Amino acid sequence: MVLAATCIAVLSVMALALARALQADTVYDRILGINMFGTKTAVLIALMGFLSERPDFLDIAIVYALINFIGMIAVLRFFEYTATSGR
Amino acid sequence: MILETISNILLIVGAFFALTGAYGLFKFPDFFTRVHAASVTDSIATILLFLGLILRTDFDLVAVKLVFVLVFVLLTSPTASHALAKSARHGGVATLAESNNKDNTDG
Amino acid sequence: MAELINLLLLGMLAVTALGVVFLKDLFAVVMLFGIYSFLSALIFVNLDAVDVAFTEAAVGAGISTVLMLGTLSLTGRQEKMSGHKTLLPLLVVVTTGAALIYGTLDMPPFGNPENPVHQHVALRYIQDSPQEIGLPNMVTSVLASYRGFDTLGETAVVFAAAIGVLSLLGLPKQDRAAIESGLESHLVLKVVAKIIIPLIILFALYVQFHGDYGPGGGFQAGVIAAAAIILYALVFGLPLATQVVQPGLLKALAALGVLLYAGTGVASFFLGGNFLDYNVLAADPVAGQHLGIILIELGVGITVFAAMLSIFYAFASKAERKNIQ
Amino acid sequence: MSVIVDYYNYWVVVFLMMAGFYTVIAANNLVKKIVGLNIFQTSVFILYISMGKVSGGSAPIVAEGITTYSNPLPHVLILTAIVVGVATTAVGLALVVRIKRAYGTVEENEFKDKDDLI
Amino acid sequence: MFEQHFLILPIVLPLMAAPLCILLGQRQLAWLLATLVSALSCVISVNLLYAALDQGVLSYAVGGWAAPWGIEVRMDAASAMVLSLVTAISTLVLIYAKASIEKEIDSSRHTLFYTAHLLCLTGLSGILSTGDAFNLFVFLEISSLATYTLVSLASDRRSLTAAFRYLVMGTIGATFILIGVGMLYMQTGTLNMLDLADRIAQSGPSRTLNTGLAFILVGVSVKLALFPLHMWLPPAYTHSPSAVSAFLASTATKVAVYVMVRFIFTIYGVEYVFHNMGMDLILLLLAIVAIFKCSFMAMAQSNVKTVLAYSSVAQIGYMILGISLASAAGLMAGLLHVFNHALMKGALFMAVGAVLYRTGSVDIKAFRGLGKKMPLTMAAFVIGGMSIVGVPLTAGFVSKWYLVTAALEQQHWLIAFLILLGSLLAVIYIFRVIEAAYLKKPDESAASKDIKEAPMLMLIPMWVLALGNIYFGLDTTLSVAAAESAAQWLTQSSMSVGGGQ
């Protein structure tokens, strides 16, 4: 029960982060929203594993956290390129 | 039984922190305070939620994996936020105080 | 509960897709695509497809997004407004969508265990594969053994993509030493990257060899290992990364992986079986299956690692060169 | 009512597919076309995975105490399809990079003046 | 000892040779390896063709797993015929390519060219051999990815946009096929083609199956450039390297036609596709529009490669027309035209490639006076052109003849007339080129004086195909027997299954 409620809470956090990413003043706000979204997905995977009573698939959560991090770094890296050369 | 209760409390508190973070994403006035809201709550919520989940395991491989994910997130998430804030700073995003000053001098 | 989560995730997917359609800032579009990929992977987890979720997260949200970002850094980040024709595409799309909806009306209901999909071929995979192949992960059994030919094709596709990208963009030259040094000023990032890159490679090895028991396998492991080097290249700069893992070596590795896979199949010829029949690889069929699967997963892993990384190198080298000018 | 419960998943998936499809054919920017192509394909993946789901089933990895497993075959097919998708994406983006270098633009409507094609 | 593995070798040999090319890294060696492997596959395929004509159908269980559970490689007369054709053309194109690509592709990319060619061959052989609907999709994508690479290898920048357009349309097509196969799987629970046919016959029509068929047909139509989904083809054939144009024009679309035949006749059955869904009328209309629209388009072009490309789309119309007649005779004529058209378009594109090699241009102006300067090349072009028109004693005549007969068999006088009219249009666009070559004076600039005959390595494969056009115009036993037996096999199995017996 608590697990399910936590799932819903995390999902709503994700929805809010998505809303932030969709309409943001600056590109950095978007990235911020997306980063929050990414970390919460990793949490949600773990929660869903417990909810479906098969928590041994946490490897996926690791991948999510990892890919989220790499995606963030890539965004920052390539955004620096366009920021300097695009203008 | 006790473990489960503690776990439930941890999960609820964690969810609460996660929600406040998301709320802060909209309510704070400038970018750097929003980063603050997002990243600090992110860390505490992740810690609490994962601790809550660890208490629900039989302390086997699953718990080890959970700890691994937790450590991983705790390493990467603040780093990403830090890098983001730093990039924003270099990219010329002004803090609230700065933009206020600017408004004053302009006016 | 699973249905509720499913519904919420589908809703978020729809919103994200609309965002992609309407936003003009391509940076946002690509980041939203990353989210789209994450969300669909969550749906896959929710619908019990853990292996697929694993791959989609690593590939869609990881590799594809990174490549798209690299492309954007070269092509600019604004889609120009256009008085483009929108009526005809809309018409085509509405027609296609209507045809699909028409098609859904006779579909077997969602999730019903009586559906034909669950009754015919799949039954054997579920009931017999743990004995015939000896692996708990049925997806790996089907992927590597029953439908190993598909997976050979998949490896060839990855190889073909690497060939295509190399012929289009070329590999970075190694002698351009250390002009560009990545996110130079981010000290914290460098320290953290140094800590986690070995962890990622360790994790990739775990995924490679644990794929028979849990979600994972050669493909996912290859992508994760490539991701580790990609992270290194992003943080410390491409020149350093190409010194660690050399582009020429990658080209050879990609070829070797395909050869290892196909070679395992040909080895079955000589041992008296059909192509890719692992039963004959060892005295005991189950042991043979296990050996065969380990070998071909290794082939897949090597090819995918090398192909993904050289594709990234090719894109990144173009981005770096542009940045210098 | 039961129609909705049975099919809502497919309908949303059709909507997603069409959003991607629309992006492919209507977008002016070549990178956006590729993004649309990816969304289109990813949505087809969801269609496949949806048909593999068994209500009350579990992930197709043998574990004690579990009797109903979801169908592993669509998972295998989609694993292959994902790989095919990323391969196409990589080649497509490489083409975009080269097009940008050769023509100086990646906007579809800007080609017609310079050349008879795209 | 490999006899029983012959079925899989045309796929596995090029697949293993492709990475070996990369490892060799030396373009002469890569060329040698690619040509040898391709020739070996060709020998094996012809062997298989005779075996299939003998025994009807050959089957091979990959991985030792029996059919609906594992993937089956399956060969009947239709697939063996197209497979022999594809491997033979691939061998000839590779011989031709050695000289041809010198001038058209940067020398550092030659190894990559051979690798991509081998991968493309792998994909095409896989499509032709597999008995599994999803496996077909995988091989389709291998060949497509390799094709995009091959097209973009040309140094002309327009090859990039052509390849991109091809990639977008091709991927949409492939995704449509994926959707269609998904719907088939959803209704039947199997992916094996024969098993699918059985279960579709048992379950009877349903809206999901109808939609699945529609999506598959649209997807395959993109791949085979059926009007109006042909927009990718003219730029792709025009701007790719000549060797690639010759290979693609004579194989890739043919394989797509084969896929369409497979889905219509083997999986769904004539009954379902033509009688229940009325697809024959739609296909017939599209085919006729394609023949006329694209013949007119071909007349208006000044680039000879574009002329040939539009002519290809028109000729594909004839193949689809044969299929849409929904009879054994029509299907046989369509398959025969697949075979013959490959011979003619191969010869024509090779001749044009040779002109490009010597003059550096494929504009119709560059052809002026070439009849004297490159007599052998232009003679091959004339033979190929005659065959396209359908002049008696050429292969083109044979397939047109069977097409007309098949149409008349069903009392379709109008269609027979339209087929003949279409041939007249072909006369016009082919004659424009021949006129320039033989009747116009060459321009007397210094550069054009040095033009001489194409090198041997280009002439030999070109003439093999040109002579093939004449040989199969005179001695029709092999080609007709193969097409006939293929058509009979396909329609029989589909009739019996379609009738639900």
Side-chain angles (χ1 to χ4, degrees):
Chain A
M1 189 56 216
V2 176
L3 218 46
T6 318
C7 257
I8 299 296
V10 172
L11 270 166
S12 31
V13 173
M14 284 165 66
L16 286 169
L18 179 61
R20 187 73 227 174
L22 272 170
Q23 49 156 213
D25 322 328
T26 64
V27 102
Y28 297 104
D29 274 305
R30 277 192 215 285
I31 303 176
L32 186 61
I34 284 166
N35 185 34
M36 186 178 224
F37 188 92
T39 43
K40 288 297 172 289
T41 26
V43 175
L44 187 66
I45 288 278
L47 284 168
M48 272 159 65
F50 279 87
L51 202 62
S52 65
E53 287 161 17
R54 298 204 63 179
D56 36 351
F57 304 136
L58 279 163
D59 309 8
I60 307 173
I62 303 176
V63 174
Y64 273 67
L66 163 66
I67 293 298
N68 186 43
F69 182 60
I70 291 179
M72 282 291 295
I73 303 302
V75 166
L76 293 178
R77 179 69 188 280
F78 290 119
F79 180 64
E80 282 186 349
Y81 285 153
T82 50
T84 51
S85 59
R87 282 168 203 166
Chain B
M1 192 60 213
I2 300 169
L3 279 183
E4 202 179 327
T5 321
I6 300 173
S7 156
N8 284 345
I9 293 170
L10 285 173
L11 286 179
I12 291 167
V13 178
F16 170 75
F17 275 117
L19 280 167
T20 53
Y23 182 68
L25 215 49
F26 286 88
K27 276 297 151 190
F28 275 102
D30 74 336
F31 174 73
F32 296 97
T33 47
R34 287 195 285 266
V35 172
H36 172 83
S39 63
V40 172
T41 57
D42 224 26
S43 299
I44 187 72
T46 315
I47 295 174
L48 291 173
L49 289 173
F50 274 89
L51 280 179
L53 289 179
I54 288 171
L55 295 181
R56 285 173 176 250
T57 63
D58 305 330
F59 301 98
D60 50 2
L61 184 66
V62 175
V64 176
K65 279 186 189 170
L66 277 171
V67 173
F68 191 81
V69 184
L70 180 58
V71 170
F72 199 90
V73 171
L74 284 186
L75 270 175
T76 56
S77 175
T79 313
S81 301
H82 164 80
L84 175 65
K86 192 161 174 165
S87 286
R89 189 74 190 140
H90 284 290
V93 176
T95 62
L96 187 62
E98 280 166 353
S99 45
N100 282 345
N101 280 342
K102 196 161 163 258
D103 287 348
N104 292 340
T105 46
D106 284 353
Chain C
M1 188 59 209
E3 281 75 16
L4 182 63
I5 293 178
N6 196 23
L7 202 61
L8 286 171
L9 289 172
L10 282 172
M12 280 199 251
L13 268 176
V15 173
T16 317
L18 285 177
V20 170
V21 173
F22 288 113
L23 283 179
K24 292 280 171 199
D25 179 355
L26 292 172
F27 235 90
V29 167
V30 169
M31 288 189 280
L32 281 180
F33 169 70
I35 286 196
Y36 191 87
S37 214
F38 263 156
L39 277 171
S40 49
L42 278 173
I43 289 198
F44 295 155
V45 174
N46 199 32
L47 297 181
D48 304 333
V50 280
D51 276 278
V52 182
F54 210 122
T55 316
E56 176 64 33
V59 170
I63 302 287
S64 293
T65 311
V66 169
L67 293 183
M68 284 172 189
L69 289 169
T71 312
L72 279 189
S73 74
L74 292 159
T75 60
R77 49 175 286 212
Q78 274 296 327
E79 183 187 30
K80 297 199 181 118
M81 296 296 276
S82 61
H84 215 59
K85 70 278 172 181
T86 51
L87 198 63
L88 181 68
L90 207 59
L91 201 69
V92 171
V93 167
V94 169
T95 321
T96 320
L100 276 170
I101 298 282
Y102 167 81
T104 57
L105 295 181
D106 272 347
M107 277 182 185
F110 172 65
N112 188 343
E114 302 297 316
N115 288 350
V117 176
H118 310 304
Q119 292 307 319
H120 184 37
V121 174
L123 275 185
R124 165 149 175 199
Y125 298 147
I126 294 171
Q127 286 163 359
D128 300 343
S129 84
Q131 284 78 48
E132 283 178 343
I133 314 283
L135 297 181
N137 187 350
M138 300 169 205
V139 175
T140 304
S141 301
V142 180
L143 183 88
S145 190
Y146 295 99
R147 294 188 72 87
F149 202 42
D150 264 355
T151 312
L152 177 61
E154 165 191 325
T155 317
V157 167
V158 175
F159 182 64
I163 296 298
V165 173
L166 290 190
S167 87
L168 283 164
L169 300 181
L171 275 174
K173 298 188 178 57
Q174 266 178 65
D175 54 3
R176 307 176 56 89
I179 300 172
E180 157 69 49
S181 43
L183 296 162
E184 175 65 27
S185 56
H186 290 269
L187 184 64
V188 178
L189 199 56
K190 286 178 154 179
V191 174
V192 172
K194 268 187 192 155
I195 301 171
I196 66 170
I197 285 172
L199 284 179
I200 300 173
I201 292 178
L202 196 68
F203 179 60
L205 287 173
Y206 165 79
V207 172
Q208 170 83 44
F209 294 107
H210 190 261
D212 312 349
Y213 305 99
F219 186 77
Q220 293 90 333
V223 174
I224 292 170
I229 312 292
I230 288 175
L231 180 60
Y232 185 81
L234 287 172
V235 176
F236 296 96
L238 188 62
L240 268 179
T242 51
Q243 276 168 26
V244 178
V245 185
Q246 291 167 6
L249 177 73
L250 286 180
K251 214 164 131 183
L253 276 180
L256 278 175
V258 179
L259 278 178
L260 177 59
Y261 197 140
T264 310
V266 172
S268 325
F269 279 180
F270 289 97
L271 295 170
N274 273 358
F275 187 67
L276 290 175
D277 185 348
Y278 314 130
N279 279 341
V280 295
L281 291 179
D284 171 39
V286 172
Q289 288 288 347
H290 209 132
L291 177 64
I293 288 174
I294 286 178
L295 282 175
I296 64 130
E297 290 272 16
L298 201 60
V300 175
I302 292 172
T303 298
V304 168
F305 166 74
M308 292 297 159
L309 195 52
S310 43
I311 288 171
F312 171 79
Y313 276 178
F315 276 91
S317 70
K318 294 290 171 255
E320 305 240 330
R321 264 175 232 170
K322 190 187 175 217
N323 198 36
I324 293 159
Q325 283 155 11
Chain D
M1 186 60 204
S2 79
V3 177
I4 296 174
V5 176
D6 285 347
Y7 296 127
Y8 76 92
N9 199 316
Y10 299 130
W11 291 339
V12 179
V13 170
V14 168
F15 172 77
L16 297 175
M17 276 190 220
M18 290 308 113
F21 189 36
Y22 178 79
T23 314
V24 185
I25 50 182
N28 197 28
N29 185 293
L30 302 188
V31 181
K32 198 164 172 183
K33 269 182 191 294
I34 297 281
V35 175
L37 213 51
N38 268 289
I39 290 198
F40 187 25
Q41 290 182 320
T42 309
S43 318
V44 178
F45 303 161
I46 303 177
L47 173 77
Y48 267 77
I49 299 300
S50 305
M51 66 174 104
K53 170 74 180 174
V54 177
S55 300
S58 183
I61 297 176
V62 176
E64 274 173 50
I66 289 172
T67 47
T68 331
Y69 295 101
S70 280
N71 187 344
L73 185 51
H75 303 179
V76 174
L77 305 181
I78 289 316
L79 275 177
T80 309
I82 290 178
V83 178
V84 171
V86 72
T88 317
T89 307
V91 175
L93 290 174
L95 277 169
V96 173
V97 170
R98 282 286 302 279
I99 287 174
K100 171 74 177 179
R101 251 201 322 195
Y103 289 83
T105 180
V106 289
E107 302 289 321
E108 200 177 23
N109 60 348
E110 290 174 14
F111 285 107
K112 283 196 177 109
D113 322 326
K114 296 178 190 172
D115 255 302
D116 47 337
L117 296 168
I118 237 201
Chain E
M1 77 170 275
F2 283 117
E3 290 254 309
Q4 77 267 32
H5 302 304
F6 267 16
L7 273 171
I8 196 114
L9 286 179
I11 308 172
V12 174
L13 283 176
L15 176 61
M16 293 191 78
L20 273 178
C21 270
I22 291 287
L23 289 178
L24 288 174
Q26 211 267 343
R27 60 195 170 111
Q28 310 284 350
L29 285 177
W31 173 74
L32 199 66
L33 178 71
T35 315
L36 285 179
V37 161
S38 181
L40 190 59
S41 313
C42 181
V43 172
I44 293 172
S45 316
V46 173
N47 212 311
L48 285 172
L49 175 60
Y50 278 106
L53 286 178
D54 235 28
Q55 302 162 23
V57 67
L58 313 164
S59 165
Y60 183 90
V62 181
W65 299 109
W69 296 283
I71 292 173
E72 181 193 23
V73 170
R74 200 177 165 80
M75 186 90 53
D76 57 17
S79 38
M81 179 179 119
V82 186
L83 182 65
S84 312
L85 179 78
V86 167
T87 46
I89 300 250
S90 154
T91 315
L92 292 174
V93 164
L94 279 169
I95 296 172
Y96 174 87
K98 185 159 190 303
S100 168
I101 62 173
E102 299 270 319
K103 294 221 170 156
E104 295 181 55
I105 300 177
D106 185 47
S107 65
S108 62
R109 293 192 179 133
H110 283 185
T111 334
L112 292 173
F113 167 82
Y114 295 121
T115 314
H117 181 98
L118 283 170
L119 284 171
C120 189
L121 180 63
T122 310
L124 296 177
S125 316
I127 296 171
L128 293 169
S129 317
T130 188
D132 188 279
F134 189 83
N135 197 236
L136 187 142
F137 165 78
V138 175
F139 281 110
L140 193 70
E141 283 301 88
I142 298 180
S143 72
S144 303
L145 271 177
T147 313
Y148 309 145
T149 309
L150 287 172
V151 170
S152 70
L153 274 169
S155 40
D156 186 348
R157 68 173 185 174
R158 280 172 298 181
S159 69
L160 298 171
T161 47
F164 187 81
R165 182 196 273 214
Y166 188 9
L167 182 134
V168 169
M169 288 196 67
T171 310
I172 292 177
T175 312
F176 269 49
I177 295 176
L178 191 64
I179 296 174
V181 170
M183 290 186 160
L184 274 179
Y185 176 60
M186 204 179 227
Q187 276 316 63
T188 59
T190 183
L191 288 164
N192 182 276
M193 290 181 184
L194 284 188
D195 208 17
L196 274 173
D198 279 346
R199 292 182 157 250
I200 288 176
Q202 273 168 28
S203 74
S206 72
R207 285 180 280 199
T208 307
L209 286 178
N210 292 348
T211 314
L213 177 67
F215 272 79
I216 288 170
L217 286 186
V218 172
V220 179
S221 298
V222 174
K223 292 276 177 186
L224 64 73
L226 178 63
F227 185 89
L229 300 169
H230 67 285
M231 289 91 79
W232 59 267
L233 189 143
Y237 284 12
T238 308
H239 302 299
S240 55
S242 306
V244 176
S245 312
F247 184 58
L248 293 184
S250 44
T251 58
T253 45
K254 309 298 167 289
V255 171
V257 171
Y258 164 86
V259 173
M260 183 177 259
V261 168
R262 238 334 135 220
F263 272 103
I264 292 181
F265 289 91
T266 305
I267 296 183
Y268 273 90
V270 176
E271 187 73 27
Y272 196 110
V273 180
F274 294 136
H275 299 161
N276 287 358
M277 282 187 72
M279 280 289 171
D280 44 353
L281 197 65
I282 300 173
L283 286 178
L284 184 69
L285 281 177
L286 291 178
I288 288 175
V289 176
I291 293 172
F292 284 92
K293 176 92 199 298
C294 292
S295 295
F296 281 116
M297 292 295 285
M299 286 177 215
Q301 305 301 322
S302 64
N303 183 322
V304 178
K305 271 180 143 183
T306 322
V307 173
L308 294 181
Y310 274 108
S311 152
S312 276
V313 182
Q315 300 291 322
I316 287 160
Y318 288 109
M319 299 165 206
I320 301 302
L321 195 147
I323 293 171
S324 71
L325 289 176
S327 65
L331 176 61
M332 179 255 174
L335 285 176
L336 194 60
H337 199 55
V338 165
F339 182 82
N340 290 339
H341 181 247
L343 294 179
M344 35 185 145
K345 269 292 147 53
L348 284 171
F349 269 111
M350 282 185 183
V352 175
V355 172
L356 179 66
Y357 184 81
R358 285 301 183 201
T359 68
S361 164
V362 286
D363 198 272
I364 198 153
K365 287 190 193 111
F367 278 70
R368 285 181 185 165
L370 283 187
K372 287 207 183 76
K373 287 179 176 158
M374 303 175 75
L376 289 172
T377 307
M378 287 322 293
F381 187 93
V382 170
I383 295 175
M386 295 289 171
S387 198
I388 290 257
V389 174
V391 174
L393 302 185
T394 59
F397 174 74
V398 180
S399 37
K400 292 269 171 67
W401 171 264
Y402 278 100
L403 261 180
V404 172
T405 330
L408 290 181
E409 190 184 74
Q410 300 178 21
Q411 318 290 322
H412 292 316
W413 295 96
L414 184 64
I415 296 174
F417 173 71
L418 289 174
I419 294 172
L420 295 176
L421 198 64
S423 301
L424 272 182
L425 296 179
V427 175
I428 299 174
Y429 60 75
I430 290 293
F431 188 70
R432 278 175 64 222
V433 183
I434 295 179
E435 182 200 19
Y438 287 96
L439 302 177
K440 293 244 169 94
K441 286 212 174 92
D443 62 330
E444 295 297 330
S445 64
S448 72
K449 283 221 169 100
D450 305 335
I451 294 171
K452 46 182 193 226
E453 192 48 81
M456 259 312 158
L457 271 182
M458 295 173 85
L459 280 176
I460 293 171
M462 187 195 309
W463 269 93
V464 169
L465 285 177
L467 291 176
N469 271 303
I470 295 183
Y471 176 80
F472 287 107
L474 295 172
D475 177 13
T476 55
T477 32
L478 177 65
S479 55
V480 170
E484 206 153 41
S485 128
Q488 249 168 22
W489 182 261
L490 283 167
T491 40
Q492 257 174 22
S493 60
S494 115
M495 296 295 179
S496 65
V497 169
Q501 289 164 17

